[in-house]
Amino acid sequence: MGFTAIKEKASALFNEASFISQIRNKRDYERAMALMDELIEDYDNQKALIDVLSGSIARWENTSPEFNVFNDRIEKLDSGIATLRVIMEQHHLGVADLPEIGSKSLVSRILRGDRRLTRDHIEALSQRFGISPALFFQANRGQDN
């Protein structure tokens, strides 16, 4: 197929569904998400279109005012606490089930953000659950925290 035919087909596609490359409003976003749901069902055959559409969706979610509160909250999220919460949820653990950290009250204070996980806590949790200590730091990489 020559470039002329490729350009014509691409032009027809983007005229029909411009949201694939650039989401401009909430309706476009909803259509993009609906199309993504369908494309995922046939991932291997639709990977190229998924890649383009996922970029469009990510740009919208990162810049749209409707996601500002969510994005701000994620930006401020302490990855150590988030990782600890995931571990607790996955292993059905309560605040009394983490002797690596210490007392129930200390675990509670860490979960509330009143205290921080120490290096010793992170090393012990990483060893117990077979995970990389880096998981406790990834969201804050490059920040002054």
Side-chain angles (χ1 to χ4, degrees):
M1 177 182 329
F3 289 146
T4 300
I6 292 170
K7 290 189 300 185
E8 287 172 2
K9 288 182 180 199
S11 179
L13 172 63
F14 293 122
N15 283 336
E16 178 72 24
S18 62
F19 64 86
I20 290 172
S21 64
Q22 182 177 3
I23 296 172
R24 292 182 177 88
N25 54 49
K26 187 171 181 159
R27 183 173 184 273
D28 281 356
Y29 177 71
E30 290 168 353
R31 293 177 69 204
M33 295 302 288
L35 177 58
M36 183 63 81
D37 285 344
E38 287 191 28
L39 294 173
I40 294 295
E41 296 295 322
D42 189 19
Y43 180 83
D44 290 335
N45 292 320
Q46 300 300 329
K47 186 171 178 347
L49 187 52
I50 289 170
D51 287 345
V52 173
L53 185 59
S54 65
S56 181
I57 290 169
R59 282 188 301 278
W60 177 260
E61 290 176 346
N62 288 332
T63 60
S64 172
E66 71 183 281
F67 289 97
N68 284 347
V69 171
F70 175 79
N71 289 336
D72 288 345
R73 187 170 168 223
I74 293 299
E75 184 73 25
K76 294 173 185 169
L77 185 65
D78 181 305
S79 62
I81 293 172
T83 300
L84 181 59
R85 287 184 189 281
V86 169
I87 289 169
M88 291 175 71
E89 184 177 320
Q90 287 180 342
H91 295 275
H92 308 288
L93 302 174
V95 293
D97 301 320
L98 295 165
E100 297 83 2
I101 294 175
S103 68
K104 294 189 297 186
S105 64
L106 178 56
V107 174
S108 293
R109 285 184 279 172
I110 290 170
L111 291 171
R112 282 193 313 266
D114 296 338
R115 295 281 305 267
R116 297 186 69 103
L117 287 168
T118 67
R119 178 181 174 168
D120 289 341
H121 295 150
I122 291 169
E123 287 177 357
L125 290 166
S126 297
Q127 185 174 16
R128 175 179 173 185
F129 296 104
I131 59 175
S132 170
L135 290 174
F136 291 90
F137 303 105
Q138 288 179 342
N140 294 329
R141 188 176 296 156
Q143 297 180 1
D144 294 332
N145 290 341

